[in-house]
Amino acid sequence: MIAQPQMANELSQLYKNNSGKVLATLVRLIGDFDLAEEAMHEAFLSAVETWSKQGIPENPGSWLISTGRFKAIDIIRRKKRFGELQPALQQFLNEVESHNVSLTQQDIEDDQLRLIFICCHPAIDPNIQIPLTLREVCGLTTEEIASAFLVSPSTMAQRIVRGKNKIRAARIPFAIPAVSELTDRLDAVLYVIYLVFSEGYSASAGDSLVRTDLVNEAIRLARLLLTLLPDSEVMGLLALMLLHESRRKARTDHNGNIVLLEDQDRSLWNQEYIKEGITLIHNSTASRRFGVYTIQAAIAAVHAEALTPEDTDWNQVVSLYSVLMRLDPSPIIELNRAVAVAMRDGPKVGLEILASLADRKELKNYHLFHSSLGELLRRTGQTDQAISAFERAIELAKQAPEQRLLKQKIARIQSE
Amino acid sequence: MQYMLLIYGDEKCWTEAEREQCMLESMAICDELAEQGKWLASSPLCSVSTATSLRIRNGKRLITDGPFAETAEQLGGYYIIDVEDLDEALAIAARLPPAQKGTVEVRPLFPLPDRDCHSGS
Protein backbone atom coordinates (compact mmCIF):
# COMPACT_ATOMS: atom_id res chain seq x y z
CA MET A 1 0.00 0.00 0.00
CA ILE A 2 1.26 3.42 -0.97
CA ALA A 3 1.14 6.33 1.47
CA GLN A 4 -1.76 8.68 0.67
CA PRO A 5 0.09 11.95 -0.07
CA GLN A 6 2.51 10.19 -2.39
CA MET A 7 -0.39 8.46 -4.11
CA ALA A 8 -2.18 11.78 -4.57
CA ASN A 9 0.94 13.22 -6.14
CA GLU A 10 1.41 10.32 -8.49
CA LEU A 11 -2.25 10.41 -9.44
CA SER A 12 -2.22 14.08 -10.27
CA GLN A 13 0.85 13.44 -12.44
CA LEU A 14 -0.91 10.50 -14.10
CA TYR A 15 -3.95 12.68 -14.67
CA LYS A 16 -1.80 15.32 -16.33
CA ASN A 17 -0.04 12.81 -18.57
CA ASN A 18 -3.02 10.66 -19.46
CA SER A 19 -6.23 12.67 -19.36
CA GLY A 20 -5.78 14.00 -22.90
CA LYS A 21 -5.24 10.56 -24.39
CA VAL A 22 -7.89 8.88 -22.27
CA LEU A 23 -10.50 11.49 -23.16
CA ALA A 24 -9.67 11.33 -26.88
CA THR A 25 -10.10 7.56 -27.00
CA LEU A 26 -13.26 7.66 -24.89
CA VAL A 27 -14.77 10.21 -27.28
CA ARG A 28 -14.15 7.75 -30.11
CA LEU A 29 -15.53 4.75 -28.22
CA ILE A 30 -18.52 6.60 -26.79
CA GLY A 31 -19.15 9.17 -29.50
CA ASP A 32 -20.25 11.92 -27.13
CA PHE A 33 -18.12 14.61 -25.50
CA ASP A 34 -20.13 15.13 -22.33
CA LEU A 35 -20.55 11.45 -21.64
CA ALA A 36 -16.85 10.84 -22.34
CA GLU A 37 -15.85 13.57 -19.88
CA GLU A 38 -18.17 12.25 -17.20
CA ALA A 39 -16.91 8.71 -17.76
CA MET A 40 -13.29 9.82 -17.58
CA HIS A 41 -13.83 11.58 -14.25
CA GLU A 42 -15.54 8.52 -12.82
CA ALA A 43 -12.69 6.35 -14.09
CA PHE A 44 -10.14 8.55 -12.31
CA LEU A 45 -12.22 8.45 -9.12
CA SER A 46 -12.29 4.71 -9.26
CA ALA A 47 -8.54 4.67 -9.96
CA VAL A 48 -7.92 6.54 -6.69
CA GLU A 49 -9.77 3.82 -4.82
CA THR A 50 -8.44 0.77 -6.62
CA TRP A 51 -4.85 1.85 -7.07
CA SER A 52 -4.36 2.86 -3.45
CA LYS A 53 -5.13 -0.76 -2.54
CA GLN A 54 -3.63 -2.67 -5.45
CA GLY A 55 -0.97 -0.29 -6.70
CA ILE A 56 -0.76 1.47 -10.04
CA PRO A 57 -1.21 -0.89 -13.00
CA GLU A 58 1.47 -1.33 -15.62
CA ASN A 59 -0.43 0.59 -18.26
CA PRO A 60 -2.58 3.15 -16.42
CA GLY A 61 -3.83 4.70 -19.69
CA SER A 62 -5.40 1.45 -20.92
CA TRP A 63 -6.82 0.76 -17.46
CA LEU A 64 -8.47 4.19 -17.42
CA ILE A 65 -9.85 3.80 -20.95
CA SER A 66 -11.47 0.44 -20.34
CA THR A 67 -12.77 1.53 -16.91
CA GLY A 68 -14.08 4.73 -18.53
CA ARG A 69 -15.94 2.74 -21.14
CA PHE A 70 -17.68 0.64 -18.49
CA LYS A 71 -18.45 3.80 -16.53
CA ALA A 72 -20.11 5.25 -19.65
CA ILE A 73 -22.30 2.17 -19.93
CA ASP A 74 -23.17 2.55 -16.22
CA ILE A 75 -24.05 6.21 -16.74
CA ILE A 76 -26.37 5.40 -19.65
CA ARG A 77 -28.03 2.61 -17.62
CA ARG A 78 -28.43 4.95 -14.63
CA LYS A 79 -30.22 7.41 -16.87
CA LYS A 80 -32.46 4.57 -18.06
CA ARG A 81 -33.47 3.84 -14.49
CA PHE A 82 -34.71 7.39 -14.19
CA GLY A 83 -37.07 6.61 -17.00
CA GLU A 84 -35.59 8.86 -19.62
CA LEU A 85 -34.17 6.22 -21.92
CA GLN A 86 -35.37 7.05 -25.38
CA PRO A 87 -34.95 4.72 -28.36
CA ALA A 88 -31.96 6.80 -29.45
CA LEU A 89 -30.24 6.29 -26.09
CA GLN A 90 -30.99 2.58 -26.14
CA GLN A 91 -29.41 2.30 -29.57
CA PHE A 92 -26.50 4.33 -28.31
CA LEU A 93 -26.04 1.97 -25.37
CA ASN A 94 -26.00 -0.99 -27.75
CA GLU A 95 -23.39 0.75 -29.87
CA VAL A 96 -21.14 1.53 -26.92
CA GLU A 97 -21.45 -2.00 -25.60
CA SER A 98 -20.72 -3.64 -28.92
CA HIS A 99 -17.91 -1.29 -29.88
CA ASN A 100 -14.63 -3.09 -30.21
CA VAL A 101 -12.12 -1.61 -27.85
CA SER A 102 -9.09 -1.08 -29.96
CA LEU A 103 -6.24 0.19 -27.88
CA THR A 104 -3.00 -0.08 -29.77
CA GLN A 105 -0.55 2.77 -29.29
CA GLN A 106 -1.29 3.92 -32.84
CA ASP A 107 -5.04 4.01 -32.20
CA ILE A 108 -4.56 6.10 -29.09
CA GLU A 109 -2.31 8.56 -30.92
CA ASP A 110 -4.78 8.75 -33.81
CA ASP A 111 -7.56 9.46 -31.34
CA GLN A 112 -5.70 12.54 -30.09
CA LEU A 113 -5.27 13.71 -33.66
CA ARG A 114 -8.97 13.08 -34.35
CA LEU A 115 -9.85 15.10 -31.27
CA ILE A 116 -7.77 18.05 -32.52
CA PHE A 117 -9.37 17.86 -35.96
CA ILE A 118 -12.91 17.69 -34.62
CA CYS A 119 -12.40 20.68 -32.28
CA CYS A 120 -10.89 22.72 -35.14
CA HIS A 121 -13.46 21.62 -37.71
CA PRO A 122 -14.26 24.57 -40.00
CA ALA A 123 -17.99 23.85 -39.56
CA ILE A 124 -17.62 25.09 -35.98
CA ASP A 125 -17.65 28.86 -35.32
CA PRO A 126 -14.02 30.04 -35.09
CA ASN A 127 -14.82 31.71 -31.75
CA ILE A 128 -15.78 28.28 -30.46
CA GLN A 129 -12.98 26.24 -32.06
CA ILE A 130 -10.40 27.87 -29.80
CA PRO A 131 -12.13 27.34 -26.43
CA LEU A 132 -13.25 23.87 -27.48
CA THR A 133 -9.65 22.92 -28.32
CA LEU A 134 -8.35 24.35 -25.05
CA ARG A 135 -11.07 22.52 -23.12
CA GLU A 136 -10.98 19.13 -24.81
CA VAL A 137 -7.40 18.80 -26.07
CA CYS A 138 -5.47 20.86 -23.50
CA GLY A 139 -7.75 19.99 -20.59
CA LEU A 140 -8.14 23.59 -19.36
CA THR A 141 -11.22 24.26 -17.25
CA THR A 142 -14.02 26.46 -18.53
CA GLU A 143 -13.13 29.01 -15.82
CA GLU A 144 -9.49 29.15 -16.94
CA ILE A 145 -10.48 29.65 -20.58
CA ALA A 146 -13.05 32.28 -19.63
CA SER A 147 -10.51 34.30 -17.69
CA ALA A 148 -7.96 33.96 -20.50
CA PHE A 149 -10.45 35.43 -22.98
CA LEU A 150 -11.81 37.96 -20.49
CA VAL A 151 -15.41 36.73 -20.61
CA SER A 152 -17.60 35.33 -17.83
CA PRO A 153 -17.47 31.57 -17.17
CA SER A 154 -21.17 31.27 -18.07
CA THR A 155 -20.61 32.93 -21.47
CA MET A 156 -17.68 30.62 -22.14
CA ALA A 157 -19.66 27.57 -20.98
CA GLN A 158 -22.45 28.50 -23.41
CA ARG A 159 -19.97 28.74 -26.29
CA ILE A 160 -18.54 25.33 -25.51
CA VAL A 161 -22.02 23.82 -25.27
CA ARG A 162 -22.91 25.35 -28.63
CA GLY A 163 -19.84 23.74 -30.17
CA LYS A 164 -20.62 20.32 -28.72
CA ASN A 165 -24.24 20.60 -29.88
CA LYS A 166 -23.11 21.41 -33.38
CA ILE A 167 -20.80 18.38 -33.40
CA ARG A 168 -23.66 16.14 -32.27
CA ALA A 169 -26.50 17.60 -34.36
CA ALA A 170 -24.61 18.02 -37.62
CA ARG A 171 -22.70 14.79 -37.01
CA ILE A 172 -19.22 16.17 -37.45
CA PRO A 173 -17.11 13.01 -37.66
CA PHE A 174 -14.45 12.03 -35.15
CA ALA A 175 -11.98 11.31 -37.91
CA ILE A 176 -8.68 12.21 -39.46
CA PRO A 177 -9.57 14.04 -42.70
CA ALA A 178 -9.16 12.32 -46.07
CA VAL A 179 -5.83 12.98 -47.77
CA SER A 180 -7.53 15.27 -50.31
CA GLU A 181 -8.70 17.56 -47.49
CA LEU A 182 -5.81 17.13 -45.10
CA THR A 183 -3.90 20.26 -46.13
CA ASP A 184 -6.91 22.56 -45.76
CA ARG A 185 -7.95 20.98 -42.51
CA LEU A 186 -4.43 21.11 -41.12
CA ASP A 187 -4.30 24.81 -42.02
CA ALA A 188 -7.42 25.31 -39.93
CA VAL A 189 -5.81 23.53 -36.97
CA LEU A 190 -2.59 25.53 -37.30
CA TYR A 191 -4.59 28.74 -37.45
CA VAL A 192 -6.39 27.87 -34.19
CA ILE A 193 -3.06 27.16 -32.49
CA TYR A 194 -1.63 30.41 -33.83
CA LEU A 195 -4.66 32.37 -32.57
CA VAL A 196 -4.25 30.82 -29.12
CA PHE A 197 -0.61 31.91 -29.20
CA SER A 198 -1.36 35.45 -30.45
CA GLU A 199 -4.03 35.92 -27.82
CA GLY A 200 -1.50 35.11 -25.11
CA TYR A 201 1.43 36.85 -26.77
CA SER A 202 -0.13 40.23 -27.44
CA ALA A 203 -1.61 40.26 -23.96
CA SER A 204 1.59 39.35 -22.18
CA ALA A 205 2.46 43.06 -21.97
CA GLY A 206 -0.58 43.42 -19.70
CA ASP A 207 -0.91 42.11 -16.21
CA SER A 208 -2.90 38.93 -16.70
CA LEU A 209 -0.71 35.92 -16.02
CA VAL A 210 -3.34 33.48 -17.23
CA ARG A 211 -3.08 34.90 -20.71
CA THR A 212 0.64 34.19 -20.93
CA ASP A 213 -0.31 30.59 -20.15
CA LEU A 214 -2.03 30.58 -23.53
CA VAL A 215 1.42 30.92 -25.11
CA ASN A 216 2.57 27.78 -23.32
CA GLU A 217 -0.61 25.93 -24.27
CA ALA A 218 -0.14 26.87 -27.94
CA ILE A 219 3.47 25.64 -27.88
CA ARG A 220 2.40 22.45 -26.12
CA LEU A 221 -0.37 21.87 -28.69
CA ALA A 222 2.03 22.38 -31.59
CA ARG A 223 4.52 19.94 -30.01
CA LEU A 224 1.76 17.36 -29.60
CA LEU A 225 0.59 17.90 -33.18
CA LEU A 226 4.15 17.54 -34.43
CA THR A 227 4.55 14.14 -32.76
CA LEU A 228 1.24 13.03 -34.28
CA LEU A 229 1.67 14.58 -37.72
CA PRO A 230 5.24 15.57 -38.61
CA ASP A 231 4.32 18.10 -41.31
CA SER A 232 6.65 20.90 -42.44
CA GLU A 233 4.17 23.66 -41.61
CA VAL A 234 3.62 22.24 -38.11
CA MET A 235 7.41 22.58 -37.71
CA GLY A 236 7.20 26.12 -39.13
CA LEU A 237 4.48 27.19 -36.73
CA LEU A 238 6.21 25.68 -33.71
CA ALA A 239 9.46 27.40 -34.75
CA LEU A 240 7.67 30.73 -35.22
CA MET A 241 6.12 30.55 -31.76
CA LEU A 242 9.37 29.45 -30.08
CA LEU A 243 11.34 32.25 -31.71
CA HIS A 244 8.80 34.89 -30.68
CA GLU A 245 8.53 33.47 -27.20
CA SER A 246 12.33 33.40 -26.87
CA ARG A 247 12.21 37.20 -26.53
CA ARG A 248 9.56 37.27 -23.81
CA LYS A 249 11.82 38.43 -20.96
CA ALA A 250 13.31 41.17 -23.12
CA ARG A 251 10.05 42.46 -24.61
CA THR A 252 8.90 44.43 -21.59
CA ASP A 253 10.69 46.28 -18.80
CA HIS A 254 9.85 45.85 -15.11
CA ASN A 255 7.09 48.50 -15.44
CA GLY A 256 5.36 46.56 -18.21
CA ASN A 257 6.51 48.99 -20.90
CA ILE A 258 7.25 47.63 -24.38
CA VAL A 259 10.92 47.36 -25.32
CA LEU A 260 11.35 47.40 -29.11
CA LEU A 261 13.44 44.75 -30.84
CA GLU A 262 16.36 47.12 -31.48
CA ASP A 263 16.46 48.19 -27.80
CA GLN A 264 16.13 44.73 -26.27
CA ASP A 265 18.83 43.21 -24.05
CA ARG A 266 19.65 40.27 -26.29
CA SER A 267 21.32 38.35 -23.45
CA LEU A 268 17.80 37.85 -22.05
CA TRP A 269 16.70 35.91 -25.12
CA ASN A 270 16.01 32.23 -24.51
CA GLN A 271 18.79 30.52 -26.47
CA GLU A 272 17.28 27.06 -26.09
CA TYR A 273 14.08 28.14 -27.81
CA ILE A 274 16.11 29.88 -30.52
CA LYS A 275 18.19 26.76 -31.15
CA GLU A 276 15.13 24.55 -31.28
CA GLY A 277 13.32 26.99 -33.57
CA ILE A 278 16.22 27.18 -36.02
CA THR A 279 16.56 23.39 -36.15
CA LEU A 280 12.84 23.11 -36.92
CA ILE A 281 13.17 25.65 -39.75
CA HIS A 282 16.04 23.63 -41.26
CA ASN A 283 13.96 20.45 -41.10
CA SER A 284 10.96 22.18 -42.60
CA THR A 285 12.81 23.82 -45.49
CA ALA A 286 14.55 20.51 -46.25
CA SER A 287 11.11 19.05 -47.02
CA ARG A 288 10.58 21.68 -49.77
CA ARG A 289 6.86 21.76 -48.99
CA PHE A 290 7.03 24.53 -46.44
CA GLY A 291 4.64 27.48 -46.37
CA VAL A 292 3.91 30.78 -44.68
CA TYR A 293 4.61 29.74 -41.08
CA THR A 294 8.07 28.48 -41.94
CA ILE A 295 8.90 31.71 -43.79
CA GLN A 296 7.66 33.87 -40.92
CA ALA A 297 9.74 31.72 -38.59
CA ALA A 298 12.76 32.22 -40.85
CA ILE A 299 12.29 36.00 -40.57
CA ALA A 300 12.17 35.72 -36.78
CA ALA A 301 15.32 33.56 -36.98
CA VAL A 302 17.26 36.25 -38.86
CA HIS A 303 16.62 38.59 -35.93
CA ALA A 304 17.40 35.86 -33.40
CA GLU A 305 20.76 35.16 -35.01
CA ALA A 306 21.88 38.81 -34.96
CA LEU A 307 24.05 39.48 -31.92
CA THR A 308 23.35 43.23 -32.16
CA PRO A 309 20.63 45.12 -34.08
CA GLU A 310 23.33 46.35 -36.51
CA ASP A 311 24.23 42.74 -37.37
CA THR A 312 20.73 42.07 -38.72
CA ASP A 313 20.82 40.75 -42.27
CA TRP A 314 18.12 43.11 -43.62
CA ASN A 315 18.67 41.91 -47.16
CA GLN A 316 17.66 38.42 -46.05
CA VAL A 317 14.61 39.83 -44.21
CA VAL A 318 13.49 41.73 -47.32
CA SER A 319 13.81 38.64 -49.55
CA LEU A 320 11.86 36.51 -47.08
CA TYR A 321 9.07 39.11 -46.99
CA SER A 322 9.05 39.08 -50.80
CA VAL A 323 8.56 35.30 -50.79
CA LEU A 324 5.82 35.68 -48.18
CA MET A 325 4.07 38.30 -50.34
CA ARG A 326 3.99 35.91 -53.27
CA LEU A 327 2.53 33.09 -51.16
CA ASP A 328 0.11 35.09 -49.06
CA PRO A 329 -0.27 38.69 -50.24
CA SER A 330 -1.54 41.12 -47.61
CA PRO A 331 -1.14 44.85 -46.93
CA ILE A 332 0.31 44.08 -43.48
CA ILE A 333 3.10 42.04 -45.06
CA GLU A 334 3.73 44.83 -47.58
CA LEU A 335 4.06 47.21 -44.63
CA ASN A 336 6.53 44.92 -42.87
CA ARG A 337 8.51 44.54 -46.04
CA ALA A 338 8.62 48.33 -46.47
CA VAL A 339 10.02 48.71 -42.95
CA ALA A 340 12.71 46.12 -43.74
CA VAL A 341 13.56 47.90 -47.01
CA ALA A 342 13.91 51.15 -45.04
CA MET A 343 16.38 49.42 -42.74
CA ARG A 344 18.38 48.17 -45.72
CA ASP A 345 18.18 51.12 -48.13
CA GLY A 346 17.44 54.05 -45.83
CA PRO A 347 14.28 55.79 -44.56
CA LYS A 348 13.68 57.77 -47.78
CA VAL A 349 13.12 54.60 -49.83
CA GLY A 350 10.89 53.24 -47.07
CA LEU A 351 8.79 56.43 -47.05
CA GLU A 352 8.23 56.15 -50.80
CA ILE A 353 6.79 52.64 -50.38
CA LEU A 354 4.65 53.73 -47.42
CA ALA A 355 3.24 56.60 -49.50
CA SER A 356 2.10 54.05 -52.09
CA LEU A 357 0.37 52.02 -49.35
CA ALA A 358 -1.31 54.91 -47.53
CA ASP A 359 -4.67 54.51 -49.28
CA ARG A 360 -5.09 50.80 -48.47
CA LYS A 361 -8.18 50.49 -46.35
CA GLU A 362 -6.58 47.78 -44.19
CA LEU A 363 -3.75 50.14 -43.29
CA LYS A 364 -5.54 53.47 -42.97
CA ASN A 365 -6.65 52.77 -39.41
CA TYR A 366 -3.83 50.43 -38.46
CA HIS A 367 -1.76 51.96 -35.67
CA LEU A 368 1.46 50.23 -36.73
CA PHE A 369 1.26 51.82 -40.18
CA HIS A 370 1.18 55.28 -38.62
CA SER A 371 3.87 54.51 -36.06
CA SER A 372 6.16 53.12 -38.82
CA LEU A 373 5.48 56.25 -40.85
CA GLY A 374 6.29 58.41 -37.80
CA GLU A 375 9.55 56.54 -37.25
CA LEU A 376 10.74 56.99 -40.85
CA LEU A 377 9.71 60.67 -40.87
CA ARG A 378 11.68 61.20 -37.67
CA ARG A 379 14.76 59.61 -39.21
CA THR A 380 14.56 61.93 -42.22
CA GLY A 381 14.28 64.92 -39.87
CA GLN A 382 10.64 65.77 -40.66
CA THR A 383 9.79 66.17 -36.99
CA ASP A 384 6.39 67.90 -37.24
CA GLN A 385 5.01 65.30 -39.63
CA ALA A 386 6.54 62.57 -37.47
CA ILE A 387 4.76 63.87 -34.38
CA SER A 388 1.39 64.01 -36.12
CA ALA A 389 1.86 60.43 -37.44
CA PHE A 390 2.63 59.23 -33.89
CA GLU A 391 -0.41 61.12 -32.59
CA ARG A 392 -2.61 59.36 -35.14
CA ALA A 393 -1.08 56.02 -34.06
CA ILE A 394 -1.90 56.80 -30.40
CA GLU A 395 -5.55 57.41 -31.33
CA LEU A 396 -5.70 54.02 -33.06
CA ALA A 397 -3.67 51.92 -30.59
CA LYS A 398 -5.83 49.91 -28.21
CA GLN A 399 -3.35 48.76 -25.60
CA ALA A 400 -2.02 51.03 -22.88
CA PRO A 401 1.64 49.88 -23.20
CA GLU A 402 1.57 50.69 -26.92
CA GLN A 403 0.16 54.15 -26.26
CA ARG A 404 2.84 54.79 -23.63
CA LEU A 405 5.58 53.80 -26.08
CA LEU A 406 4.24 56.18 -28.74
CA LYS A 407 4.01 59.03 -26.24
CA GLN A 408 7.64 58.44 -25.28
CA LYS A 409 8.61 58.69 -28.94
CA ILE A 410 6.90 62.07 -29.26
CA ALA A 411 8.51 63.29 -26.04
CA ARG A 412 11.93 62.22 -27.32
CA ILE A 413 11.49 64.16 -30.58
CA GLN A 414 10.35 67.25 -28.67
CA SER A 415 13.36 67.13 -26.35
CA GLU A 416 15.87 66.79 -29.20
CA MET B 1 -27.70 10.85 -41.33
CA GLN B 2 -29.84 12.88 -43.69
CA TYR B 3 -28.80 16.31 -44.87
CA MET B 4 -30.44 18.94 -47.02
CA LEU B 5 -28.14 20.84 -49.32
CA LEU B 6 -29.66 24.23 -50.09
CA ILE B 7 -28.32 25.93 -53.17
CA TYR B 8 -28.09 29.71 -52.94
CA GLY B 9 -26.88 31.98 -55.70
CA ASP B 10 -27.53 34.99 -57.83
CA GLU B 11 -29.95 33.81 -60.53
CA LYS B 12 -28.65 36.44 -62.92
CA CYS B 13 -25.03 35.29 -62.96
CA TRP B 14 -25.70 32.17 -65.06
CA THR B 15 -25.80 32.15 -68.85
CA GLU B 16 -28.19 29.74 -70.58
CA ALA B 17 -25.29 27.52 -71.65
CA GLU B 18 -23.85 27.47 -68.11
CA ARG B 19 -27.24 26.61 -66.69
CA GLU B 20 -27.57 23.68 -69.04
CA GLN B 21 -24.06 22.44 -68.25
CA CYS B 22 -24.77 22.77 -64.52
CA MET B 23 -27.96 20.75 -64.91
CA LEU B 24 -26.15 17.92 -66.73
CA GLU B 25 -23.36 17.75 -64.15
CA SER B 26 -25.83 17.88 -61.26
CA MET B 27 -27.91 15.08 -62.73
CA ALA B 28 -24.83 12.92 -63.17
CA ILE B 29 -23.98 13.42 -59.50
CA CYS B 30 -27.56 12.51 -58.50
CA ASP B 31 -27.41 9.31 -60.56
CA GLU B 32 -24.15 8.35 -58.91
CA LEU B 33 -25.56 9.06 -55.42
CA ALA B 34 -28.76 7.14 -56.21
CA GLU B 35 -26.71 4.12 -57.21
CA GLN B 36 -24.96 4.23 -53.82
CA GLY B 37 -28.30 4.61 -52.03
CA LYS B 38 -27.37 8.10 -50.87
CA TRP B 39 -29.84 10.17 -52.90
CA LEU B 40 -33.32 10.86 -51.51
CA ALA B 41 -34.62 13.85 -53.47
CA SER B 42 -33.47 16.91 -55.36
CA SER B 43 -34.78 19.57 -57.68
CA PRO B 44 -33.96 22.97 -59.03
CA LEU B 45 -36.55 25.66 -58.19
CA CYS B 46 -38.20 28.05 -60.64
CA SER B 47 -36.99 31.65 -60.63
CA VAL B 48 -37.57 33.63 -57.43
CA SER B 49 -39.86 35.88 -59.52
CA THR B 50 -42.42 33.05 -59.37
CA ALA B 51 -42.36 32.86 -55.55
CA THR B 52 -45.39 33.61 -53.40
CA SER B 53 -45.16 34.08 -49.63
CA LEU B 54 -47.92 33.53 -47.13
CA ARG B 55 -48.26 34.36 -43.44
CA ILE B 56 -51.25 34.23 -41.13
CA ARG B 57 -51.64 37.18 -38.77
CA ASN B 58 -54.66 37.65 -36.50
CA GLY B 59 -56.31 34.76 -38.32
CA LYS B 60 -55.98 36.45 -41.70
CA ARG B 61 -54.08 35.13 -44.67
CA LEU B 62 -51.53 37.62 -45.95
CA ILE B 63 -50.28 36.69 -49.37
CA THR B 64 -47.45 38.59 -51.04
CA ASP B 65 -45.62 38.30 -54.31
CA GLY B 66 -41.96 37.39 -53.91
CA PRO B 67 -39.64 35.37 -51.67
CA PHE B 68 -39.38 35.35 -47.87
CA ALA B 69 -36.52 37.85 -47.99
CA GLU B 70 -35.20 40.01 -50.81
CA THR B 71 -31.51 39.15 -51.01
CA ALA B 72 -28.82 39.23 -53.65
CA GLU B 73 -28.54 35.42 -53.51
CA GLN B 74 -31.68 33.31 -53.60
CA LEU B 75 -32.58 29.72 -52.89
CA GLY B 76 -32.40 28.05 -56.28
CA GLY B 77 -32.63 24.34 -55.54
CA TYR B 78 -32.11 21.57 -53.04
CA TYR B 79 -30.84 18.04 -52.52
CA ILE B 80 -31.71 15.64 -49.73
CA ILE B 81 -29.02 13.03 -49.21
CA ASP B 82 -28.41 10.22 -46.76
CA VAL B 83 -24.72 9.91 -45.89
CA GLU B 84 -22.44 8.91 -43.03
CA ASP B 85 -21.50 12.29 -41.58
CA LEU B 86 -20.97 16.01 -42.19
CA ASP B 87 -17.61 15.50 -43.92
CA GLU B 88 -19.23 13.25 -46.53
CA ALA B 89 -22.07 15.73 -47.03
CA LEU B 90 -19.52 18.55 -47.44
CA ALA B 91 -17.52 16.50 -49.94
CA ILE B 92 -20.68 16.06 -52.05
CA ALA B 93 -21.59 19.76 -51.67
CA ALA B 94 -18.13 20.67 -52.94
CA ARG B 95 -18.77 18.75 -56.18
CA LEU B 96 -22.00 20.61 -57.01
CA PRO B 97 -21.42 23.16 -59.79
CA PRO B 98 -23.31 26.01 -58.01
CA ALA B 99 -20.73 25.87 -55.20
CA GLN B 100 -18.36 27.57 -57.67
CA LYS B 101 -20.52 30.71 -57.92
CA GLY B 102 -22.92 30.72 -55.00
CA THR B 103 -23.20 29.02 -51.63
CA VAL B 104 -24.28 25.53 -50.64
CA GLU B 105 -25.79 25.45 -47.15
CA VAL B 106 -25.61 22.02 -45.52
CA ARG B 107 -28.28 21.34 -42.90
CA PRO B 108 -28.94 18.07 -41.07
CA LEU B 109 -32.56 16.95 -41.18
CA PHE B 110 -33.98 16.82 -37.68
CA PRO B 111 -34.30 13.11 -36.88
CA LEU B 112 -37.90 12.32 -35.92
CA PRO B 113 -38.16 9.17 -33.77
CA ASP B 114 -41.53 8.29 -35.36
CA ARG B 115 -40.25 8.33 -38.85
CA ASP B 116 -37.36 6.08 -37.85
CA CYS B 117 -39.84 3.54 -36.47
CA HIS B 118 -41.99 3.56 -39.61
CA SER B 119 -39.06 3.26 -41.93
CA GLY B 120 -37.75 0.48 -39.71
CA SER B 121 -34.18 1.80 -39.68
Side-chain angles (χ1 to χ4, degrees), chain A residues 277-319:
Chain A
I278 289 172
T279 308
L280 284 162
I281 295 169
H282 286 311
N283 293 343
S284 170
T285 46
S287 77
R288 295 182 174 275
R289 285 183 296 108
F290 57 90
V292 292
Y293 290 116
T294 304
I295 298 166
Q296 291 179 74
I299 294 170
V302 176
H303 293 298
E305 283 174 319
L307 294 176
T308 67
E310 294 72 33
D311 289 337
T312 311
D313 183 350
W314 289 107
N315 195 36
Q316 177 78 340
V317 176
V318 172
S319 349

Side-chain angles (χ1 to χ4, degrees), chain B residues 5 7 23 30 39 41-46 76-80:
Chain B
L5 313 183
I7 313 296
M23 208 62 86
C30 287
W39 177 86
S42 65
S43 180
L45 300 177
C46 290
Y78 71 92
Y79 296 73
I80 299 174

Side-chain angles (χ1 to χ4, degrees), chain A residues 103-137:
Chain A
L103 290 177
T104 67
Q105 196 52 41
Q106 187 61 46
D107 285 325
I108 292 173
E109 281 189 6
D110 285 352
D111 284 337
Q112 282 192 288
L113 197 52
R114 290 186 186 104
L115 190 62
I116 295 173
F117 276 114
I118 199 171
C119 292
C120 301
H121 197 288
I124 300 171
D125 181 341
N127 289 321
I128 299 177
Q129 290 175 18
I130 297 170
L132 201 58
T133 305
L134 290 171
R135 176 89 185 81
E136 306 302 331
V137 184

Side-chain angles (χ1 to χ4, degrees), chain A residues 155-402:
Chain A
T155 305
M156 192 46 85
Q158 276 169 10
R159 276 191 212 168
I160 293 171
V161 166
R162 253 174 58 211
K164 288 180 186 169
N165 284 345
K166 173 86 193 250
I167 289 173
R168 199 178 304 132
R171 198 183 280 185
I172 296 176
F174 189 68
I176 296 165
V179 177
S180 59
E181 285 156 29
L182 194 61
T183 313
D184 282 354
R185 293 285 307 278
L186 183 61
D187 280 351
V189 172
L190 295 177
Y191 191 57
V192 165
I193 297 176
Y194 191 54
L195 286 180
V196 171
F197 178 81
S198 308
E199 192 67 35
Y201 185 78
S202 63
S204 58
D207 48 8
S208 169
L209 281 172
V210 188
R211 287 164 73 88
T212 52
D213 281 354
L214 288 179
V215 167
N216 297 329
E217 284 305 327
I219 290 175
R220 207 167 68 86
L221 256 174
R223 284 193 201 283
L224 171 66
L225 189 59
L226 188 61
T227 60
L228 301 171
L229 196 73
D231 175 273
S232 52
E233 274 296 85
V234 182
M235 294 175 200
L237 176 58
L238 179 56
L240 177 63
M241 296 192 297
L242 289 170
L243 287 162
H244 276 299
E245 182 57 7
S246 72
R247 300 184 208 134
R248 185 165 55 90
K249 278 193 186 146
R251 282 174 64 216
T252 49
D253 65 17
H254 50 274
N255 295 322
N257 292 319
I258 297 174
V259 183
L260 290 172
L261 190 56
E262 65 257 35
D263 303 322
Q264 287 176 13
D265 175 355
R266 298 187 175 215
S267 69
L268 294 176
W269 289 358
N270 181 332
Q271 291 302 325
E272 251 170 67
Y273 275 11
I274 291 174
K275 230 172 84 187
E276 192 186 350
I278 289 172
T279 308
L280 284 162
I281 295 169
H282 286 311
N283 293 343
S284 170
T285 46
S287 77
R288 295 182 174 275
R289 285 183 296 108
F290 57 90
V292 292
Y293 290 116
T294 304
I295 298 166
Q296 291 179 74
I299 294 170
V302 176
H303 293 298
E305 283 174 319
L307 294 176
T308 67
E310 294 72 33
D311 289 337
T312 311
D313 183 350
W314 289 107
N315 195 36
Q316 177 78 340
V317 176
V318 172
S319 349
L320 286 166
Y321 272 122
S322 301
V323 178
L324 200 52
M325 257 171 59
R326 272 203 305 279
L327 282 179
D328 184 27
S330 98
I332 311 265
I333 291 168
E334 284 188 65
L335 169 64
N336 289 335
R337 185 177 174 279
V339 172
V341 171
M343 293 305 293
R344 186 187 63 181
D345 304 335
K348 264 192 176 162
V349 187
L351 278 173
E352 277 167 31
I353 307 178
L354 287 193
S356 72
L357 296 175
D359 288 336
R360 299 292 184 85
K361 68 172 191 306
E362 295 91 340
L363 296 179
K364 255 185 183 162
N365 296 318
Y366 184 50
H367 66 281
L368 292 180
F369 176 80
H370 295 279
S371 67
S372 307
L373 186 62
E375 189 55 38
L376 296 186
L377 287 166
R378 182 190 67 81
R379 276 191 239 160
T380 51
Q382 305 175 70
T383 47
D384 289 348
Q385 290 100 313
I387 289 173
S388 57
F390 283 134
E391 281 170 346
R392 178 81 186 115
I394 293 172
E395 282 170 32
L396 297 167
K398 289 192 189 83
Q399 283 168 321
E402 279 180 329

